Amino acid sequence: DVNAVKPEYVNDLEAGFRLSHEKLRGQANVFYMRFENEIADIGKSIPEGFIQLRKNVPSSYRSGIELDWTYQVLPALTFGGNATYMQSIIKEYAPEDDETVYRNVHQVISPNWIINGALSYTLWNLFTISLNPRYVSESFLEPTNQPDLILPSYFVLDSKMSITLFEQHEFSLHLNNLFNKQYYAAGQPVDYNGQVVPGYFIQPPFHFYAMLNLKF
C-alpha cells in the first residue's frame, strides 16, 4: 500500500581521500547518514516469499567507511578490491505485537563488513585470469536482533578467464563458488513445528557459464 509509508529524508555527510602513486591507487570515504522516517524492513513478515513489509522508522542512521584500491604487484599482475564497514542502526523499534521498545538495534540483513577482491594476471594483453574472493559478515534476520536468528557470515571464491578476439571482441568463462561452499545471502525467521528458527535462501553450489561479448 503506497499510502502506508511517509517519504523518508536523509542528511548525508561524507569526506574522502584519494591516493595516486606509481603502483598504488586508492580512495577512502567516511560517511554519516541520518534518516528521518526511513523506509525499512520492519513490517509484517510473509513467509511464503521470505518478504518483510516496509514501514517507516522515525529515527535511524548509517555510518562507516568505504575503501577502494588497485595495486600493481607486477607489470602483468594487479590486486584490487573494495571494502565497506558500516553500522546501520535503528534508534528505537517498537513491534506491532510487542510492548517492548528495542533501542539501537541493527537493521535487518545489514552486515558490518563487505569485502571484495580481484587478483588479475594478464598475458600479452589478450588473456586475463582473475581470482575474486568475497567476504560478508553475519547479520540479523529480524529487527529485535535475537542472537539465534542471524544470517551467517560467508566467504566465497570466484574466478574469471577471458580472451580478447580480433582486438575488440571478448570471450569469457566464469567459475563461481570454486570451493562448492554452502552459504546464504538472504533469509527470514520461519515457524518450524511451533518454533521460530532461521530460514535461508541457499545460494548456488559450484557453477559456471560462458559469455561472448561482440562489439561492432
Side-chain angles (χ1 to χ4, degrees), residues 25-57:
R25 292 187 178 183
Q27 64 179 27
N29 185 57
V30 294
F31 60 90
Y32 177 79
M33 305 169 68
R34 185 180 182 88
F35 288 85
E36 180 183 340
N37 286 328
E38 180 181 4
I39 301 172
D41 300 332
I42 61 168
K44 181 180 178 181
S45 296
I46 303 177
E48 293 79 8
F50 272 23
I51 297 172
Q52 188 160 14
L53 299 182
R54 293 175 176 267
K55 294 183 63 178
N56 288 112
V57 174

Side-chain angles (χ1 to χ4, degrees), residues 163-181:
I163 184 169
T164 301
L165 306 171
F166 306 108
E167 298 184 354
Q168 59 180 349
H169 310 307
E170 182 186 79
F171 174 80
S172 60
L173 178 65
H174 301 253
L175 309 173
N176 296 329
N177 197 359
L178 292 175
F179 295 151
N180 200 35
K181 182 178 178 62

Side-chain angles (χ1 to χ4, degrees), residues 39-113:
I39 301 172
D41 300 332
I42 61 168
K44 181 180 178 181
S45 296
I46 303 177
E48 293 79 8
F50 272 23
I51 297 172
Q52 188 160 14
L53 299 182
R54 293 175 176 267
K55 294 183 63 178
N56 288 112
V57 174
S59 180
S60 59
Y61 70 88
R62 298 178 187 178
S63 62
I65 182 171
E66 301 169 320
L67 303 173
D68 290 272
W69 70 88
T70 302
Y71 179 63
Q72 196 78 37
V73 184
L74 297 170
L77 183 66
T78 61
F79 175 64
N82 57 76
T84 300
Y85 175 79
M86 181 177 68
Q87 292 276 334
S88 186
I89 303 296
I90 295 174
K91 290 191 173 183
E92 288 189 358
Y93 169 62
E96 298 177 358
D97 56 351
D98 189 346
E99 295 182 357
T100 304
V101 176
Y102 298 87
R103 292 179 170 83
N104 296 318
V105 291
H106 292 263
Q107 296 213 28
V108 174
I109 310 184
S110 181
N112 290 142
W113 285 101

